Amino acid sequence: MAYSQPFPLAQPLQKPTQPTFGPDLAVRLICPDCRDPNPNIVEEFSSGDLVCGTCGLVLGDRVVDTRSEWRTFANDEGDDPSRVGGPTDPLMEGMEQLDTVISFRDGGSGIARELQRAASRGSASRSERNLLQAFRDISNWCDQFSLPKTISDIAKQLYKRSDEEKLLRGKPLEAVIAACIFIACRQAHVPRTFREICNLTHVSKKVLGQCYKALEQAFNLTPGASADRHSNTPSSLTGPEDLLVRYCNHLDLPPNVQPICSDIIVKARDLGIADGRSPVSIAGGAIYFTCHLLGKPKTAREISAVAGVSEGTIKLVYRLYYGVKEKLVKEEWIKDGKAKLDRLPLESSK
């Protein structure tokens, strides 16, 4: 008995008679000389060029190196995948070093100011904000004083230690920063006087001296951080020889003036001349003496403007040197024609 099938059998799909073409998204760079369908393209990151490995034709320039900018010394192999942010700062250890800065442009609605306040309150604690502000002040003052980054880093380390150990609690922030910069200059062997630091930071000399003494005793800086490396007194501040290079440069003096002036200061110290005078006045008087001795005279007013001491003080040290000029001036300088004693003027005591 035959049964009728209720549903017809599925018919096989018929393939289209015309082939369908799509766009070829595989864009390849082919050398126009070789015309090889499988080109050997080499990226030379050192020169930033795309070069055909077969014929050497340069196919492109200014190639961006997408590899990591630094090496990784981790146990796993491969390049360091981290490509965000700057290098870690050891001074900022324990603090978030990636900041989010909110723009102040809000169309005059005032929302940006509120967002900035909320971000500053939530991003870091008060101590961290104070530390960051102190670091910014140190960098700004060092830039104004034309001090290198090395001194700025030393000053930041000193301030961080003093802040962690609460050494100068209650002292003004400007005075603490000024003392750290002063000590950093001494440790880097480019000392600055108290007067120069006070003029830069607008801190009184009394408060600066108190902060300096506290840091010096706390960090035990007296034996090793003495800027006067040529003196037998370990507690002396800044030696006159350390100031000569800067003063001679500001006065536009020839290179041979500074070493001769330094020898005169050392010889005068051995003879006990001008003992008890400040290093600034000794340096100014020695420069005044040496310039006239070598025939490169500078007025006391010019030296006073650079050294920051009065003209009378400079001439006073000069008269002390003039009294023992035969002992201070070496015979070889006179034989070579560099120095002549008759060039030295006789300054009156009035």
Side-chain angles (χ1 to χ4, degrees), residues 121-265:
R121 287 194 299 266
S123 60
S125 62
R126 182 175 182 180
S127 61
E128 293 181 359
R129 291 197 300 269
N130 294 339
L131 186 63
L132 293 176
Q133 182 62 37
F135 284 177
R136 283 193 291 267
D137 293 342
I138 292 175
S139 300
N140 294 335
W141 282 349
C142 288
D143 292 341
Q144 295 178 16
F145 218 176
S146 300
L147 296 175
K149 188 177 182 298
T150 305
I151 296 179
S152 176
D153 293 340
I154 296 175
K156 291 177 181 179
Q157 292 176 0
L158 293 173
Y159 180 84
K160 187 175 182 181
R161 288 182 57 186
S162 65
D163 182 69
E164 292 175 351
E165 300 177 13
K166 308 297 181 183
L167 298 177
L168 297 174
R169 180 178 295 178
K171 295 294 183 181
L173 177 63
E174 294 80 6
V176 180
I177 294 176
C180 293
I181 294 177
F182 179 79
I183 297 175
C185 291
R186 290 181 57 190
Q187 290 185 341
H189 304 304
V190 285
R192 297 296 187 270
T193 62
F194 262 33
R195 179 175 299 178
E196 291 174 318
I197 298 294
C198 292
N199 293 336
L200 171 70
T201 59
H202 304 288
V203 177
S204 65
K205 188 176 180 180
K206 179 180 178 180
V207 179
L208 176 59
Q210 293 174 353
C211 296
Y212 165 72
K213 287 298 182 182
L215 293 178
E216 187 182 42
Q217 295 175 2
F219 298 152
N220 194 19
L221 298 176
T222 303
S226 176
D228 188 1
R229 303 182 300 277
H230 309 284
S231 176
N232 295 327
T233 305
S235 60
S236 58
L237 296 180
T238 300
E241 302 95 319
D242 299 318
L243 303 174
L244 289 179
V245 178
R246 218 156 27 94
Y247 291 172
C248 291
N249 288 338
H250 289 321
L251 291 170
D252 196 18
L253 293 174
N256 63 329
V257 174
Q258 187 266 331
I260 294 178
C261 187
S262 179
D263 293 342
I264 291 175
I265 292 177

Side-chain angles (χ1 to χ4, degrees), residues 35-143:
R35 296 189 179 277
D36 187 0
N38 297 317
N40 181 21
I41 305 299
V42 180
E43 297 182 1
E44 294 185 356
F45 295 107
S46 59
S47 59
D49 297 334
L50 282 175
V51 182
C52 177
T54 304
C55 65
L57 179 65
V58 178
L59 305 179
D61 58 352
R62 298 183 181 180
V63 178
V64 178
D65 189 357
T66 58
R67 298 176 298 179
S68 178
E69 288 88 356
W70 57 88
R71 294 179 58 191
T72 177
F73 297 94
N75 295 328
D76 53 345
E77 298 180 357
D79 294 337
D80 189 356
S82 176
R83 297 181 56 83
V84 294
T88 58
D89 188 355
L91 296 173
M92 308 291 291
E93 184 178 1
M95 294 185 295
E96 183 65 32
Q97 302 185 26
L98 294 178
D99 298 334
T100 300
V101 180
I102 300 176
S103 175
F104 60 90
R105 298 180 180 178
D106 55 359
S109 60
I111 300 178
R113 182 180 297 274
E114 299 298 330
L115 291 176
Q116 290 174 358
R117 290 178 180 177
S120 62
R121 287 194 299 266
S123 60
S125 62
R126 182 175 182 180
S127 61
E128 293 181 359
R129 291 197 300 269
N130 294 339
L131 186 63
L132 293 176
Q133 182 62 37
F135 284 177
R136 283 193 291 267
D137 293 342
I138 292 175
S139 300
N140 294 335
W141 282 349
C142 288
D143 292 341

